[in-house]
Amino acid sequence: MTIFQINDVKKTFKNREIKEQVLKGINLTLKEGQITALIGASGSGKSTMLTIAAGLQRATEGRIYFQGINLSEMNQEQIRKIRAKQFGFIFQSSHLVPFLSVEDQLTLMLEISEVRLKKQEQRNEVEKLLKLVDMYHRKDAFPSSLSGGERQRVAVARALIHKPKMLFADEPTASLDSRRSIDIMNLIKDLTKTMKITTLMVTHDEEMLLYADNIVTMRDGLIK
Ligand SMILES: Nc1ncnc2c1ncn2[C@@H]1O[C@H](COP(=O)(O)OP(=O)(O)O)[C@@H](O)[C@H]1O
Ligand SMILES: [Mg+2]
């Protein structure tokens, strides 16, 4: 079943007098529960496409449908709500909050997403997910005392704690060595399959393509 659809999306950036069309009419359909990998040379527009799909920036033209709703027609506040409740994000670096413990990173995300749970239920949910990413024993640790791989495991948990429908990941393994990359991709795959989350992932790592249900290549602002 189609859950997400990108229709003829174009994006032009204007720097001073120079206009650059980075996306020239992208069409892409994502099926519920599948992992789609977006690949292509550096500068081909992958991150631009991902951030537009995720509602972090707007397309110049075109339409984006999430569960049949046209996000391109929504105002900023409506998009913010959908992003907070229905979307999860993982980036190349973990972007954890330096002054929060591992446990509090996840609790904060539950609050931002307005998942209304009693304190005890909140703790249970956080515990359950931290155990799944094998980080519960580090729940009181701060990001500075974690390794890169551990930080990214926490970032995966934080991206999924509010049970989003969509996961957007921009080179989630790019800062990790091969063994830790495989570890993170196994986690992403296991958790998104169990939770029936649909994933759009930018990667330039060939090894990561083994985890994708679909592979889409971008070239010069188009899908080839
Ligand atoms: N905010 C921006 N303003 C101007 N140009 C941008 C902006 N974001 C991206 N670009 C340009 O768009 C092109 C595609 O960038 P990007 O989507 O980051 O590619 P990729 O992720 O495939 O490496 C690049 O030429 C980049 O310089
Ligand atoms: Mg990029």
Side-chain angles (χ1 to χ4, degrees), residues 61-221:
E61 279 180 55
R63 296 164 307 285
I64 310 239
Y65 295 95
F66 166 61
Q67 294 183 323
I69 306 165
N70 187 350
L71 298 185
S72 347
E73 286 179 344
M74 290 190 160
N75 66 34
Q76 280 311 105
E77 179 54 20
Q78 291 168 316
I79 290 180
R80 191 200 62 77
K81 274 217 161 113
I82 290 198
R83 230 170 36 216
K85 287 172 184 285
Q86 315 261 29
F87 295 173
F89 298 91
I90 307 173
F91 301 98
Q92 179 173 344
S93 74
S94 60
H95 292 296
L96 299 179
V97 184
F99 51 82
L100 291 181
S101 70
V102 163
E103 183 174 31
D104 289 346
Q105 310 276 343
L106 272 62
T107 311
L108 174 67
M109 187 50 89
L110 281 176
E111 279 160 16
I112 290 173
S113 319
E114 298 171 20
V115 178
R116 303 203 193 288
L117 294 174
K118 300 210 175 74
K119 283 282 166 221
Q120 189 54 47
E121 290 168 339
Q122 223 177 37
R123 268 197 294 273
N124 293 345
E125 286 295 309
V126 169
E127 176 178 342
K128 211 160 59 185
L129 193 51
L130 282 179
K131 282 182 173 161
L132 286 173
V133 302
D134 195 19
M135 284 302 291
Y136 188 66
H137 62 295
R138 300 289 271 138
K139 72 179 171 60
D140 297 319
F142 288 87
S144 59
S145 69
L146 304 176
S147 71
E150 287 177 324
R151 280 202 280 268
Q152 206 60 336
R153 295 221 298 272
V154 176
V156 170
R158 184 186 56 179
L160 303 179
I161 185 68
H162 58 302
K163 303 189 168 79
K165 294 294 293 176
M166 301 289 307
L167 174 64
F168 296 97
D170 196 347
E171 311 216 16
T173 61
S175 64
L176 305 174
D177 63 31
S178 171
R179 193 167 62 86
R180 284 177 186 82
S181 296
I182 288 168
D183 184 42
I184 287 293
M185 270 321 298
N186 276 321
L187 266 182
I188 291 176
K189 180 146 192 173
D190 290 350
L191 292 170
T192 57
K193 293 294 169 189
T194 314
M195 296 166 80
K196 297 190 171 60
I197 295 169
T198 308
T199 303
L200 182 60
M201 174 181 74
V202 169
T203 185
H204 64 246
D205 188 341
E206 299 256 315
E207 252 184 320
M208 299 308 119
L209 300 180
L210 296 172
Y211 294 86
D213 300 297
N214 301 303
I215 300 169
V216 172
T217 308
M218 283 188 64
R219 195 172 297 140
D220 298 330

